[in-house]
Amino acid sequence: MGWAAHTGMTAAIATLVAFAPQDARAANGAYAVDAADISEVGSCKVESWMSAASNTDFSAVANPSCVVDPFRPIELSLQTIRARSDGEWGTTMAPKAKTNFVPTGIGRWGLSAYGGGSFDAATGEALTGFAVIPATFRLSETMRINVNGGWLWDRTVDRHYLTYGVGFDWKFTDTLQWTIEAYGQAGASEIASIVQPRFQTGARYRPNEIFSVDVIYGRNITGENANWITLGTTIRFPVEGSQPEHRRTGHL
């Protein structure tokens, strides 16, 4: 399939996802729409971020992850979220496993899958289960489109949702990258904002191989119809002597 056909398919999928009905936040640091890539086996990283909303909601997140190879490369992570919503505080933990099936490349689709769940750290009650298929189409060494589709089970209300997202990453200098994404979940809800579109855009600054920082504006990112500002950081522990991640994937 030629470049024109690939580009046409990319645009068609992006359009369908953007106008479909809306997700639970997933991955890629504080961003919700994940890429199909995973890190190298043996590497680890710690992503963390703080988000504050115009309605006084707040969340602080730590997400350590490592890539292991028990039978194929798998990225394992454990997200811990301390959050305030409507004045109430709670702590949630969300383990996740992700693996890549088709590597990404310029002019073709890459494909991966991840799944996991979340539970209340205080009571041990299971809160959600989820599974997502991230697909990435690399337009060039510095531009890519990420498309996500999946399933979410909200056990607190015993409802199932279709989840979706589309994002665009552009590495416009050696140290700066811009991301824009729309995502959400489709299904029945008494609260309209739960199934309304969610949006984020932000910039990543990565001055070296180890550290990066994100500044992000979001709208309705947890389904509460508020504006959000997020400050995030990532600290990486690459495999010694390995090729830098941004040179393998073209992105920060």
Side-chain angles (χ1 to χ4, degrees):
M1 186 179 293
W3 168 258
H6 273 303
T7 305
M9 183 169 66
T10 301
I13 291 177
T15 301
L16 286 173
V17 174
F19 288 97
Q22 289 217 19
D23 126 302
R25 302 185 67 190
N28 192 23
Y31 294 104
V33 180
D34 204 359
D37 303 285
I38 65 171
S39 302
E40 285 190 289
V41 173
S43 66
C44 295
K45 61 185 175 183
V46 178
E47 300 165 314
S48 58
W49 62 93
M50 293 188 299
S51 302
S54 55
N55 66 350
T56 74
D57 283 1
F58 175 84
S59 65
V61 182
N63 186 43
S65 64
C66 290
V67 182
V68 298
D69 189 5
F71 51 90
R72 63 177 298 118
I74 299 175
E75 187 172 77
L76 301 175
S77 63
L78 180 61
Q79 192 175 100
T80 303
I81 308 123
R82 179 67 174 166
R84 179 182 64 216
S85 179
D86 293 329
E88 298 291 329
W89 286 93
T91 303
T92 304
M93 303 188 76
K96 188 188 79 174
K98 176 184 176 183
T99 190
N100 176 264
F101 296 107
V102 181
T104 63
I106 295 175
R108 62 184 175 86
W109 286 96
L111 194 69
S112 63
Y114 69 81
S118 66
F119 61 92
D120 188 304
T123 65
E125 179 188 5
L127 302 175
T128 65
F130 55 84
V132 176
I133 302 293
T136 294
F137 186 85
R138 291 175 60 188
L139 298 166
S140 68
E141 286 289 352
T142 58
M143 295 184 185
R144 68 183 177 188
I145 293 173
N146 302 312
V147 177
N148 292 184
W151 158 83
L152 169 69
W153 178 26
D154 185 345
R155 293 190 72 252
T156 61
V157 292
D158 194 23
R159 284 185 174 166
H160 298 264
Y161 297 92
L162 294 175
T163 63
Y164 66 91
V166 60
F168 173 74
D169 297 322
W170 175 31
K171 180 186 171 187
F172 57 95
T173 76
D174 286 341
T175 59
L176 289 170
Q177 179 171 299
W178 173 63
T179 294
I180 184 170
E181 61 182 17
Y183 61 100
Q185 58 195 56
S189 176
E190 283 77 25
I191 303 172
S193 59
I194 293 291
V195 291
Q196 287 175 346
R198 309 176 188 194
F199 167 84
Q200 287 196 126
T201 186
R204 171 169 293 178
Y205 173 60
R206 184 171 176 177
N208 54 49
E209 296 302 319
I210 304 301
F211 177 78
S212 65
V213 59
D214 296 281
V215 179
I216 306 167
Y217 164 75
R219 173 68 184 170
N220 193 38
I221 65 174
T222 62
E224 74 312 298
N225 199 28
N227 297 308
W228 290 78
I229 294 294
T230 297
L231 178 65
T233 62
T234 301
I235 301 174
R236 300 166 182 82
F237 304 91
V239 178
E240 187 175 353
S242 64
Q243 186 180 21
E245 182 181 20
H246 73 279
R247 299 199 183 281
R248 291 190 299 108
T249 67
H251 292 271
L252 300 177

